[in-house]
Amino acid sequence: MSAANVGIRATVLAVLAVCIVPVGTAHARLLFWPQYGYWWGDHAPLRHSHRYRHAEPKLAKKDQVQDGPNGPLQIIISIADQRISVYDNGALIARSSVSTGIPGHPTPLGVFSVISKQRWHRSNIYSAAPMPYMQRITWSGIALHAGILPGHPASHGCIRLSNDFAIPLWHLTKRGTRVIIAPDDIRPVEIAHPHLFASKPKAASGPPESRAAIADNAAMTSAAVHPPSTPNADAQQVTDLQAPVAPRKVVPISVFVSRKSSKLFVRQGFTPLFDIPVKIQDPEQSLGTHVFTVMGFQNEGETLRWTVVSMPEKSPPTPSKRRAPSKQIVETTLPVSSPDKANAALDRIEIPQDVVERISELLTPGSSLIISDYGISEETGKDTDFIVVTQ
């Protein structure tokens, strides 16, 4: 990473750490970056209480500076709470309020990713309406962008953010950042299961970047088509061996298992790689929708650390349009989550061993496995990751 890029990432996180969004039309909500401390977000409505509460992250040293995410970023949007939560390496780092779609133009629920970004954009559907700091998640027009937050759903399907939150978020994310839109608040939890793809032993030596590059290069090599023999072929091969090889950019893969189609699909860098049939036990029974993500290597590269986000299996309650008293402080708690349903889904899926090994060779931090009752959405296409619309 160049010195300029490092400076930019450090500035972005610093802005997010010290920025205080004015409290306006609804309850205040605790918003924090663990390495800097706590600050208050605006407009977040009072959410329902939970029986169990999780400990808040410990404060780091005040002088600690971070120049970028520690691991894969995940953005989770709760329709019921009208709230966005940002997770870095599985830990909550930022939270603020949003305004999602009105009943006639609801924000779709499901699994998405950032597929394009534009600092200044105008809608090509709604009278060239401004959409600053736009992060598109479907080609049909759904995006995250800065806008007015009245304290209730008010958009035509997009996710409106406060300007002070949209700007640093736009600088922090990149194409491919996972976005999950759920009816209620959910969060990633650690998970370990024998059916999750494992790190390949032959790629376990050296730093994670080297292991990922080896796997990536191996995949590219196996897929290459050998050119026809020519008189200069031997000389060309010698030249190629002597020439320095530029390191290949590591691109995470995405794996999608659909109960609807009983198939497994693989993409890398928004490009389809292959798909195969898989066997699902009790195919008439629901699997749910679960997003597993590789956070990184652990145990000196011998194993992978996974988290999972499981979608609630219910319709979102209608957020109230009543404006709550301003400046009311509400205690923030992380939603209760359990990997039990995700583990049960993994138990029922049978993937051929050769496919498991092929996928394991391609895994890098940021790679994901999506399991869902639904099929691939029509929104999935050229230059997108898997898009799974659940409602």
Side-chain angles (χ1 to χ4, degrees), residues 34 39 118 142 194 275 294 356 372:
W39 52 286
Q118 198 169 353
I142 305 300
D275 60 84
V294 177
V356 171
S372 180

Side-chain angles (χ1 to χ4, degrees), residues 187-267:
R187 69 180 181 94
V189 294
E190 299 275 344
I191 186 171
H193 192 282
H195 289 178
L196 281 171
F197 305 110
S199 177
K200 293 292 289 182
K202 68 179 182 180
S205 59
E209 294 80 5
S210 298
R211 294 193 298 272
I214 291 172
D216 187 37
N217 290 335
M220 296 297 180
T221 301
S222 64
V225 177
H226 296 286
S229 177
T230 65
N232 296 326
D234 292 339
Q236 183 64 45
Q237 289 177 5
V238 172
T239 302
D240 290 343
L241 290 173
Q242 294 174 345
V245 179
R248 185 185 299 275
K249 182 179 179 181
V250 176
V251 180
I253 65 167
S254 296
V255 182
F256 175 49
V257 176
S258 166
R259 181 176 70 91
K260 181 178 180 180
S261 61
S262 293
K263 294 184 74 173
L264 175 149
F265 306 83
V266 180
R267 287 191 167 214

